[in-house]
Amino acid sequence: MTTTTSPTVLAAARGPLADLRGIALGRVIRVELRKMFDTRSGFWLMASIVILGVLATVGTVLFAPEEELTHNTFAAAIGFPMTIVLPIIAILSITGEWSQRTGLTTFTLVPHRGRVLLAKTVSSVIVGIAAMLLALVVGVVGNVVGTAITGTDLVWDLSVAQFGTIVVGSLLCLLTGTMLGMVIRNSPGALVTYFVMTLVLPTVFGILATSQPDFVDVRPWVDAELARSFLFEGPPTGEQWAQVAVTATLWLVLPALLGLRAALRSEVK
């Protein structure tokens, strides 16, 4: 005797799994954004963006020469700590599934790891752009209040193009954190590697440029930190844009592809 199962019963049995496989990317992004804020450590990490922005503004008013109290100065002072905090946010977002042992739950609910990693990347970029807009607003307030306190003239010397390059530079820093999270998949290791890349390697390149004159012309093509600095100093020239593209490919894109491959295949425990 054979037993037949009606299509309705099969559909009902497959329904939950089909719904899990079909979770929309937008919903996953919203979940990842909420995960950035719904823990105590995550909340204070996000709050540190605002706190550091206010402290940078106050420090600029107190210690910067009066002739340098301009919108560009305030924006640069606020943007500097954000280039440190934003990559940390990106690293913790990616490595959380491996470091905090939540990967089994996450990748069971959303079996397609690529979708989860994309959602984490997009949510980090959203936070980064929001932080840059916040920096712009705080810079405006700092410029108005600072010049009022010191009695100097208001100077609005931050162009739209310059602000755009600052955003690009900040996002490159953030995506470097995303890349390290996928490559290493361990929070302490990724954080240490990031600070080595941003502090130790530029120092080594600087020593080489000092001791080897021929390396001076080569350095902007291999030193990612030096190339990114062009984005924060003003609209880059054509050659500087090429140097940004080459160093980003060397230190960001290629490692990110290798890290993505490893993250998609690595065992989650």
Side-chain angles (χ1 to χ4, degrees):
M1 181 178 67
T2 60
T3 303
T4 60
T5 305
S6 67
T8 303
V9 174
L10 289 174
R14 290 194 302 262
L17 293 179
D19 290 341
L20 291 176
R21 289 195 298 268
I23 294 177
L25 177 62
R27 184 177 178 184
V28 183
I29 293 173
R30 290 194 297 271
V31 170
E32 292 300 330
L33 281 171
R34 187 170 66 248
K35 286 165 65 176
M36 289 182 173
F37 292 89
D38 63 1
T39 63
R40 187 173 299 174
S41 59
F43 171 80
W44 283 109
L45 185 60
M46 295 298 176
S48 68
I49 295 177
V50 179
I51 295 171
L52 289 173
V54 174
L55 291 177
T57 301
V58 173
T60 302
V61 173
L62 293 178
F63 302 109
E66 292 186 359
E67 63 274 9
E68 294 184 9
L69 290 178
T70 67
H71 190 201
N72 189 20
T73 301
F74 282 99
I78 298 168
F80 175 74
M82 289 190 179
T83 60
I84 299 176
V85 175
L86 291 178
I88 295 176
I89 293 174
I91 288 173
L92 296 180
S93 174
I94 296 291
T95 59
E97 307 302 338
W98 284 268
S99 297
Q100 299 176 13
R101 299 183 180 180
T102 58
L104 288 175
T105 302
T106 300
F107 296 134
T108 299
L109 293 174
V110 186
H112 302 286
R113 292 191 190 182
R115 182 180 296 180
V116 175
L117 294 174
L118 176 59
K120 289 178 178 292
T121 302
V122 172
S123 60
S124 297
V125 169
I126 291 173
V127 170
I129 293 176
M132 289 298 102
L133 293 177
L134 175 65
L136 179 65
V137 173
V138 175
V140 170
V141 175
N143 193 27
V144 173
V145 174
T147 53
I149 293 175
T150 58
T152 57
D153 296 331
L154 275 170
V155 179
W156 303 103
D157 57 347
L158 183 66
S159 65
V160 175
Q162 189 172 358
F163 179 71
T165 60
I166 291 174
V167 171
V168 172
S170 300
L171 290 180
L172 286 177
C173 294
L174 182 147
L175 292 174
T176 300
T178 301
M179 175 271 294
L180 290 174
M182 290 190 293
V183 170
I184 301 176
R185 300 181 302 283
N186 176 273
S187 298
L191 289 171
V192 170
T193 303
Y194 175 75
F195 286 112
V196 169
M197 290 180 61
T198 56
L199 298 177
V200 178
L201 278 182
T203 302
V204 173
F205 287 138
I207 294 173
L208 285 175
T210 302
S211 60
Q212 302 292 331
D214 294 339
F215 185 72
V216 173
D217 295 331
V218 178
R219 183 184 177 189
W221 299 95
V222 296
D223 188 345
E225 285 298 305
L226 177 61
R228 276 200 296 263
S229 69
F230 302 147
L231 297 172
F232 294 97
E233 294 171 355
T237 63
E239 183 181 22
Q240 289 173 337
W241 274 116
Q243 292 164 347
V244 170
V246 169
T247 55
T249 301
L250 179 63
W251 293 101
L252 176 58
V253 177
L254 294 179
L257 293 176
L258 296 175
L260 177 61
R261 178 184 175 88
L264 293 176
R265 297 189 175 191
S266 65
E267 181 181 1
V268 179
K269 299 180 181 180

